[in-house]
Amino acid sequence: SVPMIKAVLKEHCPAAVTYNEYIKRTKTLLHWSYLNDYIKDRSIIDKLQTIPDNKKERIEDKYLEKWELEKLLDAATNKKWNLTIKFLVLSGLRIGELIALQDKDIDQEYIHVYKTYETSVGVVDLPKTETSTRDVYLRPELAECVKEIRSFMRVYTFEKGIRTNLFLCSQSGSWLEYDAFRKYLRIISTKTLNRKITPHALRHTATSLLIADGVPIEVVSRMLGHKNSQITREIYFHITQELQKADNDILKKASLL
């Protein structure tokens, strides 16, 4: 029952951020169970709500500046994880979408995103939202990254003696190791940038860099598969305000007469 689930989570997850994370994971598991006919009623999913988290994180802490990304990539000496970081930033895909991605899902022009890997329950499922199903255009730098990953994978699978249809995979040819990547990213970001970076922060980094480069927020939202993202809007307003400040600093030094 809903009260029982809430009571158990509150007992074991007193912090709001932890409670909310486990609520999301529980809903994912229940959603999968409903789709596979293990439960008949999905109303319980809608009744499980997150609770307010009074600990507000600054929006600029949710993504990397360009110089921070460059520093992080320099520190990422593990080739597979280096390419993973680069691909997530250039494509804006969620980590689960990358894990579920098969090589055939990428053609000469687009990355076709239509499924995701739910790390909390270990299954490939439907995308997060209706707008998550999308085609991500292979602009030149992203296409070059895809080419680099495919070249790496040819060597990687040969050396490991594995076969796989996945775009990136584990040492056994199965799903990419999410926990290992998350841990690696946390370690090198703490050491290099003095703050912990999550895989999802790389998606926010894609948002910030595209907006800073002048890409309209509507285009960014479609690329990321967002119907209505508060974080995307917050990043947009923060970046545009920072750009406005930079413009003002330049204008202050202008002398016309």
Side-chain angles (χ1 to χ4, degrees):
S1 68
V2 173
M4 182 187 73
I5 293 174
K6 288 182 176 180
V8 171
L9 289 180
K10 284 181 180 179
E11 179 183 353
H12 295 281
C13 309
V17 62
T18 309
Y19 177 88
N20 290 340
E21 177 61 29
Y22 275 88
I23 280 287
K24 291 177 184 176
R25 294 187 181 193
T26 302
K27 292 176 75 170
T28 297
L29 176 59
L30 290 171
H31 177 64
W32 178 83
S33 300
Y34 174 75
L35 290 177
N36 289 276
D37 294 326
Y38 288 107
I39 60 174
K40 299 299 181 183
D41 182 11
R42 63 158 290 124
S43 63
I44 187 174
I45 301 173
D46 300 323
K47 293 176 182 177
L48 290 172
Q49 300 296 322
T50 56
I51 59 177
D53 183 2
N54 295 324
K55 185 180 178 182
K56 292 295 183 181
E57 187 179 9
R58 297 184 309 164
I59 189 63
E60 56 266 41
D61 291 334
K62 293 180 180 289
Y63 63 85
L64 296 171
E65 298 284 355
K66 189 172 184 178
W67 68 268
E68 291 180 306
L69 175 61
E70 291 170 350
K71 198 171 180 180
L72 188 70
L73 286 170
D74 285 341
T77 54
N78 181 298
K79 185 65 174 177
K80 184 168 76 170
W81 296 144
N82 181 288
L83 289 171
T84 301
I85 293 170
K86 190 183 296 185
F87 180 82
L88 288 173
V89 171
L90 292 176
S91 67
L93 263 66
R94 300 177 178 90
I95 182 65
E97 292 170 340
L98 167 58
I99 293 174
L101 198 65
Q102 295 182 319
D103 191 67
K104 67 179 179 64
D105 296 329
I106 307 177
D107 57 31
Q108 296 297 316
E109 197 169 8
Y110 294 104
I111 301 171
H112 303 285
V113 182
Y114 56 94
K115 57 186 179 297
T116 189
Y117 179 85
E118 292 292 350
T119 55
S120 56
V121 292
V123 295
V124 171
D125 203 347
L126 299 174
K128 188 175 181 182
T129 64
E130 288 184 12
T131 54
S132 294
T133 299
R134 64 198 186 279
D135 293 335
V136 177
Y137 176 64
L138 280 179
R139 62 188 191 284
E141 62 178 351
L142 178 53
E144 185 60 33
C145 181
V146 168
K147 182 179 177 182
E148 192 176 357
I149 290 175
R150 281 174 166 162
S151 177
F152 165 80
M153 282 293 289
R154 282 194 292 271
V155 176
Y156 185 76
T157 53
F158 176 78
E159 290 180 342
K160 302 294 181 184
I162 55 177
R163 288 188 177 185
T164 184
N165 58 6
L166 295 168
F167 180 57
L168 269 170
C169 70
S170 69
Q171 296 185 43
S172 65
S174 186
W175 313 114
L176 196 68
E177 311 97 324
Y178 170 76
D179 285 333
F181 175 60
R182 179 176 56 83
K183 182 179 179 181
Y184 181 83
L185 187 61
R186 184 182 71 241
I187 291 172
I188 63 168
S189 62
T190 301
K191 183 178 179 180
T192 308
L193 305 175
N194 200 31
R195 62 188 180 103
K196 296 177 183 178
I197 297 301
T198 66
H200 203 69
L202 300 175
R203 180 169 157 86
H204 294 327
T205 299
T207 301
S208 68
L209 294 180
L210 286 167
I211 290 171
D213 204 43
V215 179
I217 187 171
E218 296 83 5
V219 176
V220 176
S221 293
R222 286 194 293 272
M223 174 183 164
L224 269 60
H226 279 158
K227 184 176 182 180
N228 183 22
S229 170
Q230 179 64 28
I231 292 294
T232 300
R233 290 198 302 273
E234 287 179 11
I235 291 175
Y236 172 78
F237 287 123
H238 179 75
I239 293 295
T240 51
Q241 285 173 352
E242 291 300 309
L243 291 174
Q244 183 67 56
K245 290 177 185 176
D247 290 345
N248 292 345
D249 289 338
I250 294 172
L251 289 170
K252 281 180 185 178
K253 299 173 184 178
S255 178
L256 305 184
L257 296 175

